[in-house]
Amino acid sequence: MAKFRRALLPLSFLLMFASVCSAQIRSGTVEIFLFGGYLFGGDFLPAANALFTGKVDVEDHATYGGRIGWNINSLFEVEGQFSRTDTHFVSSGNDTLFGSAGTRLGDLTIDYYHGIHDVQFRAQPGRSLVSLGMGAARLDADVCAVRLKPCSNPDPDWRYTASIGGGIKTFITPHFGLRFDGRYYGTLLHERRRQLSHDHCHHNHDDWLSNGDVTGGLLFAF
């Protein structure tokens, strides 16, 4: 029994050290987060794009990217994010025009460029956070990958996007740890305005691409 206790002693010190590191929130540090995960793609309504006459889905697909952040103090952090998803347009249902559900209709690359403001809270182990972000989405469509020639692809399109998310950080050492996040993105695709008459109010309708991702990866602090 004594030998067992002696064997557990170094492990106890290691766990105590990891716990202390996990709880640290160091003002003025720079953090780099390299991540991978999964994007739940959303859909495009008929009037939200010029490529298809009906509703099409964006296939759920792997995503990857990185963030660099600065801890202003123990509560607030600002970050810049880039992420990329190489996904596809797919048919949303059984119809004679686009085929059965899940039929590939073209390729789509989604790049997100975001500025993010995090609010961080002490938690065990590590710290939890909630965040708000906004920036731009770059949508690059390739429908010629599945269409007969002659065919021409549209130029990449830049759209305003906003996001909200939350996550958990845990540090194994003062300079290395793990992070896991979930985030919702809303991207403004098209704004339609219709004036009914001079005696009535204007009617506005915005088309959005709504999707979200779950990510995890390595966290470095300096």
Side-chain angles (χ1 to χ4, degrees):
M1 181 62 69
K3 291 182 179 180
F4 180 71
R5 290 176 179 175
R6 285 196 297 270
L8 285 179
L9 189 60
L11 179 59
S12 299
F13 280 117
L14 180 61
L15 292 175
M16 291 173 59
F17 175 74
S19 178
V20 171
C21 292
S22 297
Q24 289 179 349
I25 300 178
R26 302 182 305 280
S27 300
T29 56
V30 174
E31 294 181 354
I32 297 175
F33 175 39
L34 304 177
F35 62 81
Y38 205 68
L39 179 79
F40 302 93
D43 56 54
F44 285 85
L45 296 176
N49 71 93
L51 294 174
F52 305 100
T53 58
K55 175 187 172 183
V56 295
D57 291 338
V58 178
E59 187 176 44
D60 301 344
H61 211 277
T63 187
Y64 61 93
R67 295 190 191 126
I68 182 168
W70 177 54
N71 288 298
I72 300 173
N73 52 42
S74 61
L75 184 62
F76 298 115
E77 181 182 17
V78 290
E79 295 183 289
Q81 171 186 314
F82 167 77
S83 64
R84 167 163 288 188
T85 308
D86 296 307
T87 183
H88 312 290
F89 296 108
V90 293
S91 175
S92 61
N94 294 315
D95 54 56
T96 57
L97 184 60
F98 293 133
S100 60
T103 300
R104 180 184 169 197
L105 305 175
D107 297 337
L108 175 65
T109 298
I110 304 175
D111 294 333
Y112 284 122
Y113 299 83
H114 264 222
I116 298 172
H117 182 211
D118 298 327
V119 181
Q120 305 179 108
F121 306 93
R122 289 185 180 272
Q124 290 297 333
R127 52 182 127 163
S128 60
L129 59 93
V130 293
S131 64
L132 295 173
M134 65 175 58
R138 181 181 180 271
L139 307 175
D140 189 5
D142 180 6
V143 294
C144 294
V146 296
R147 292 182 179 178
L148 298 176
K149 296 181 179 180
C151 175
S152 61
N153 285 313
D155 293 331
D157 205 353
W158 292 83
R159 295 291 175 176
Y160 167 79
T161 184
S163 68
I164 184 171
I168 297 173
K169 301 176 182 179
T170 181
F171 281 90
I172 301 171
T173 75
H175 302 289
F176 174 74
L178 303 174
R179 176 172 170 174
F180 303 92
D181 279 75
R183 181 163 294 274
Y184 163 81
Y185 300 91
T187 301
L188 182 60
L189 299 176
H190 179 65
E191 184 177 2
R192 291 180 283 154
R193 292 184 174 90
R194 182 178 57 169
Q195 184 175 4
L196 300 179
S197 71
H198 66 277
D199 295 326
H200 294 80
C201 296
H202 294 274
H203 174 71
N204 294 342
H205 180 75
D206 297 337
D207 292 319
W208 294 81
L209 172 63
S210 296
N211 53 27
D213 63 22
V214 289
T215 59
L218 304 179
L219 187 63
F220 304 91
F222 305 94

